[in-house]
Amino acid sequence: SFSHHSIVECPSSKVPRGMKRAFEAALNSKEKYMRVASSARNIMISFPAYLPQYILKRLMNGVVMKGMHPDDPIGRALIAHPIYKSDVSIAIPESMYHFEVDIAIYDDIVGYTSHAKLYSVGVHSRAFSLVMKNVFDLAWSYASRFATARLN
């Protein structure tokens, strides 16, 4: 039987006051390497003016991104921009991209952002983030076979 006494680590959740705050939290990543599955179209709808500023801040802080994005005109234009020269991104067919939220994995944090529902949640757990980093890397390897574009 399951007992709460058998839990070694209990993840905590933090709901930022705003989605922008969730993005800003990633700027202070200690690992300087962030795994991301996101839709540029959704982000541009939520933060049209903020996204380019965020990218500049992220790169100035030395945080690079390994990203998977649906292949659409907004995503291609965004990840083809020269500002992304330090990042590694792939565009995959929209028919294969089934993420309803954007996901960012860095340090001991797995962040989820819903642009449809306008919320962000960060799950802080070393064990959970390690599992999700491995899941992302496996998904990246698989998705790379179907990538319609690879940048950097």
Side-chain angles (χ1 to χ4, degrees), residues 8-82:
V8 175
E9 177 185 14
C10 183
S12 63
S13 295
K14 295 184 180 178
V15 180
R17 290 190 189 129
M19 290 170 43
K20 182 178 174 185
R21 185 170 166 201
F23 276 69
E24 296 281 330
L27 296 175
N28 299 317
S29 174
K30 294 178 191 115
E31 288 181 344
K32 305 300 180 197
Y33 180 77
M34 182 173 21
R35 294 161 174 90
V36 174
S38 66
S39 166
R41 177 177 46 217
N42 290 343
I43 295 171
M44 289 302 286
I45 290 169
S46 297
F47 307 120
Y50 174 70
L51 185 59
Q53 296 170 19
Y54 166 77
I55 294 166
L56 280 172
K57 287 180 188 178
R58 179 176 56 78
L59 293 172
M60 287 173 57
N61 284 356
V63 179
V64 297
M65 178 184 71
K66 182 176 188 177
M68 288 188 287
H69 313 283
D71 190 356
D72 61 38
I74 295 173
R76 271 188 181 244
L78 190 65
I79 62 179
H81 194 281

Side-chain angles (χ1 to χ4, degrees), residues 53-134:
Q53 296 170 19
Y54 166 77
I55 294 166
L56 280 172
K57 287 180 188 178
R58 179 176 56 78
L59 293 172
M60 287 173 57
N61 284 356
V63 179
V64 297
M65 178 184 71
K66 182 176 188 177
M68 288 188 287
H69 313 283
D71 190 356
D72 61 38
I74 295 173
R76 271 188 181 244
L78 190 65
I79 62 179
H81 194 281
I83 196 171
Y84 275 106
K85 65 183 176 202
S86 300
D87 294 338
V88 178
S89 294
I90 56 173
I92 59 175
E94 285 186 277
S95 62
M96 293 183 69
Y97 191 88
H98 302 289
F99 296 90
E100 292 185 16
V101 297
D102 291 342
I103 301 167
I105 309 162
Y106 58 94
D107 296 341
D108 293 340
I109 299 168
V110 179
Y112 300 89
T113 299
S114 169
H115 298 276
K117 305 270 185 186
L118 299 176
Y119 73 87
S120 293
V121 174
V123 179
H124 298 243
S125 166
R126 178 165 168 68
F128 185 58
S129 69
L130 288 174
V131 167
M132 292 304 294
K133 287 172 186 176
N134 285 314

